[in-house]
Amino acid sequence: MVFGLPEFVEIVIISVLLSFVSVIVYRVSADQRAIKNIKSEMKSLNERIKKAQKEGNQKEMNKMSGELMKLSGKQFQMNMKPMMISMAIFLAAFWFLGASYGEAVIPSPISIPFVGNQLGWFHLYILIMLPGSLFFRKMLMVE
């Protein structure tokens, strides 16, 4: 107990906060309109590639695949800044969580495959962070 609450509650609160912070960092540091445009262009190119594949037009497929690779690279570059900021935040958070809750064992109401019915702080963090991030991304309309 770091904050005077049960370990389970503290880890859940920290996980939810980290999920929220990561989504906010991504929303603020990445151009959402540009990412949305790139995703739509990539979807269109994938459809055109499938059409060319059905027609057996290898030259057109290669051309569009090259364009798709360029767009993928551009999208990767746009995601790099939020990824670096998030990584710095998460490294500090993981250090804190590991130091504070490294020995914590939280009983699980159900048995989880490969984990069992006892969770460490990292397992609980993952179980809370994944749906939390999806929820906040939908709520804040982040691409």
Side-chain angles (χ1 to χ4, degrees):
M1 288 192 266
V2 176
F3 302 109
L5 298 169
E7 291 173 333
F8 171 80
V9 174
E10 290 180 357
I11 295 170
V12 168
I13 290 170
I14 292 169
S15 299
V16 169
L17 287 174
L18 284 172
S19 297
F20 184 71
V21 167
S22 72
V23 172
I24 292 294
V25 164
Y26 189 80
R27 183 179 171 111
V28 169
S29 61
D31 184 358
Q32 296 299 305
R33 278 191 223 128
I35 290 173
K36 188 174 185 176
N37 289 339
I38 288 173
K39 283 185 177 183
S40 111
E41 287 180 49
M42 289 173 71
K43 185 177 179 182
S44 171
L45 277 172
N46 277 324
E47 290 171 1
R48 289 173 50 200
I49 288 172
K50 286 179 187 176
K51 183 179 176 186
Q53 187 177 20
K54 286 180 183 176
E55 295 172 356
N57 190 343
Q58 188 66 33
K59 187 176 180 181
E60 187 69 18
M61 281 176 45
N62 290 339
K63 179 184 171 191
M64 287 185 275
S65 293
E67 291 177 35
L68 189 63
M69 291 298 288
K70 286 179 188 176
L71 286 174
S72 294
K74 193 174 182 181
Q75 184 182 21
F76 180 76
Q77 288 176 345
M78 295 178 102
N79 288 328
M80 195 58 110
K81 182 179 177 182
M83 189 178 1
M84 291 297 168
I85 295 168
S86 294
M87 190 165 48
I89 293 168
F90 282 98
L91 287 175
F94 282 178
W95 174 83
F96 170 76
L97 286 167
S100 301
Y101 304 105
E103 301 298 318
V105 176
I106 296 117
S108 172
I110 59 169
S111 182
I112 300 171
F114 306 110
V115 177
N117 60 354
Q118 293 186 342
L119 303 173
W121 70 267
F122 187 72
H123 299 113
L124 183 58
Y125 165 77
I126 294 295
L127 286 172
I128 300 299
M129 187 274 308
L130 289 175
S133 291
L134 290 173
F135 171 76
F136 289 127
R137 286 177 86 82
K138 290 288 183 188
M139 192 173 96
L140 299 173
M141 293 178 281
V142 174
E143 285 295 319

